[in-house]
Amino acid sequence: MSTLHRSTADGTARLGSGARGAPPDGTAAADRGAGGGRGFAPALGGGGRVTGLDGLRTVAVLLVIVYHVRPDLVPGGSVGVDVFFTISGFVITRLLVAEYARTGGIGLWPFYRRRWLRLMPALLVMCAVTALLSLVLPLPLFHGTWVAALLAAGSVVNLVRAGDSADLTAPLGHTWSLGVEEQFYLAWPLLLLALLRRSAPRVVLGAVAALCVLPVLWRTVLWDPAAVHRIYNGPDTRADQLLVGALLALVLARLRADDPRRERLRRWAGRLWAPAAALLALIAWRIPITETGGWSPLWYTAGFLAAAVLSACVVAALQLCPRSPLSRLLSLSGPAWIGRNLSYGMYLWHYPVLRLLHDLGVPGGLLLPAGLAATLAVALASYALLERPLLRRGRGRMRRLEPVDVAARAPVR
């Protein structure tokens, strides 16, 4: 079936009220003198939303959709998922370290609740709709979807696929990446909080950098063509892509605006974003990552980390070089709005929408434009009717529950 690609490999309580002991370095002392920050004072400034990241999300999700319909156009289009992982690690860690710098703790229950409201209701609706379609309509590509829907609702599709049971999850195989992210969201705040409370900031950076390397070593140990599903879908074997984004967020939260190292990092980001983006585009265009012929030991050991580093170079440029051509392009209102509000829904719904259109007999040449249009429409409905109302309600409730901290809300001078 040339028109619909079926890939073989992818398819609170508040803890802590202060740092235990001051980090023994000059920057930390300056932080205390400036009124807090616990070694990550620049995180207190926030910096606002990075609009270019939203545009990058749009590019990543479009890559994945095109790949699932026309793998001949972008045989390495699954690299869009790698980009998503790095963005997610960066954004989540940025929020967590800012909260820690402000309060000395991380509100685990509010964090998990926000993540649940952002991700799970839309996922559960998609699972319910696809399961219902499989029961009431004789659609070949939806056969067995109710089983896949149960696994997707439990965020374990990636674990099942890691056991080389891709056929069981095929109707909703794309939700493997959501499982990886949700498992990361569950574990990372706990690990990060432990590191922040028990270690000096420099030690935290070193520990996270070491964690970025461990999955590469683990993939090298595991590597065997028969272990490709295990490597591709495992939360442990893909953790480095999220952790690279997390490391970048911690580095930026450590460097003050007047720190010469930050300026040096900004200059390097300005130099590297173009070759990094070009290499990611080349990967998408030429490297069949998930095809049997693309199961190379180089990619399945070091390649995932390389893709994350390239993605981090782009993310760093979007954060530090807002006037670069890349930032201006990705910050355009259309791509930025779609990435901010619809990219999750588009990723969530594109696979069942494409399967439905294929089963209904949409010609191969029309499947991509029809699939994009239908996916955009369903994602817009999901955002307007489900995701946005739930997020508004959740934010309102959190504002009522959280005490007003005047000092925390004051601008950092």
Side-chain angles (χ1 to χ4, degrees):
M1 182 171 60
S2 61
T3 56
L4 182 58
H5 179 55
R6 295 182 63 181
S7 164
T8 54
D10 86 306
T12 114
R14 183 174 299 281
L15 299 185
S17 58
R20 293 188 179 182
D25 57 46
T27 306
D31 291 343
R32 292 193 302 275
R38 298 170 178 85
F40 294 95
L44 292 170
R49 192 177 189 97
V50 182
T51 309
L53 286 181
D54 296 323
L56 185 60
R57 286 189 178 99
T58 300
V59 173
V61 75
L62 288 176
L63 263 180
V64 174
I65 294 173
V66 174
Y67 162 71
H68 281 149
V69 182
R70 294 287 307 275
D72 56 311
L73 295 179
V74 282
S78 63
V79 77
V81 174
D82 305 54
V83 175
F84 266 124
F85 282 163
T86 305
I87 293 174
S88 296
F90 175 79
V91 171
I92 289 301
T93 305
R94 189 170 179 253
L95 294 172
L96 293 174
V97 76
E99 181 180 358
Y100 180 80
R102 186 175 67 250
T103 68
I106 293 174
L108 295 176
W109 169 245
F111 172 81
Y112 292 135
R113 185 176 185 277
R114 288 192 301 269
R115 287 294 88 201
W116 194 94
L117 284 173
R118 179 68 188 96
L119 301 175
M120 290 306 295
L123 173 63
L124 294 176
V125 168
M126 186 275 293
C127 290
V129 169
T130 52
L132 183 62
L133 283 174
S134 73
L135 295 175
V136 301
L137 295 175
L139 301 172
L141 290 180
F142 278 75
H143 178 70
T145 297
W146 66 272
V147 176
L150 289 175
L151 295 172
S155 300
V156 294
V157 164
N158 66 309
L159 302 180
V160 175
R161 292 173 74 85
D164 203 10
S165 300
D167 289 343
L168 192 64
T169 64
L172 296 178
H174 69 300
T175 59
W176 75 271
S177 64
L178 303 180
V180 171
E181 289 205 10
E182 286 157 14
Q183 289 147 24
F184 177 79
Y185 294 154
L186 185 64
W188 177 236
L190 296 169
L191 178 58
L192 179 62
L193 179 61
L195 287 172
L196 291 171
R197 284 176 56 86
R198 298 173 185 273
S199 306
R202 290 179 180 177
V203 176
V204 173
L205 294 177
V208 176
L211 288 174
C212 291
V213 177
L214 287 180
V216 182
L217 303 178
W218 182 223
R219 289 195 297 264
T220 304
V221 171
L222 290 175
W223 168 250
D224 185 280
V228 109
H229 294 281
R230 167 70 180 87
I231 292 172
Y232 195 89
N233 293 278
D236 52 342
T237 49
R238 300 301 291 268
D240 51 334
Q241 297 193 308
L242 292 127
L243 288 169
V244 165
L247 179 61
L248 175 61
L250 288 167
V251 168
L252 293 177
R254 182 78 176 126
L255 300 177
R256 292 176 173 275
D258 57 354
D259 192 320
R261 293 172 298 178
R262 188 180 182 94
E263 176 59 24
R264 196 176 307 130
L265 182 61
R266 187 196 65 77
R267 287 199 305 268
W268 276 107
R271 294 168 183 167
L272 293 177
W273 70 260
L279 284 172
L280 287 171
L282 184 63
I283 291 169
W285 180 41
R286 301 298 296 172
I287 299 181
I289 298 168
T290 60
E291 293 300 312
T292 304
W295 294 354
S296 73
L298 180 61
W299 184 265
Y300 277 78
T301 52
F304 292 136
L305 179 60
V309 171
L310 293 174
S311 301
C313 290
V314 175
V315 171
L318 294 175
Q319 170 77 44
L320 297 172
C321 309
R323 296 183 179 179
S324 69
L326 179 70
S327 293
R328 292 183 177 182
L329 177 64
L330 294 178
S331 297
L332 292 174
S333 58
W337 191 89
I338 290 173
R340 180 168 59 253
N341 300 307
L342 302 186
S343 60
Y344 175 61
M346 289 176 68
Y347 185 83
L348 198 61
W349 284 98
H350 83 277
Y351 208 59
V353 164
L354 292 172
R355 284 174 164 262
L356 177 62
L357 293 177
H358 186 276
D359 274 351
L360 293 177
V362 173
L366 296 177
L367 187 57
L368 180 56
L372 281 172
T375 297
L376 192 60
V378 177
L380 186 58
S382 174
Y383 169 72
L385 301 176
L386 180 65
E387 297 169 52
R388 188 180 182 188
L390 282 175
L391 286 173
R392 281 183 168 180
R393 183 179 303 176
R395 288 168 186 157
R397 181 174 178 182
M398 292 310 301
R399 288 192 190 102
R400 290 194 299 271
L401 292 176
E402 290 178 353
V404 177
D405 186 345
V406 177
R409 292 172 184 262
V412 179
R413 297 185 184 276

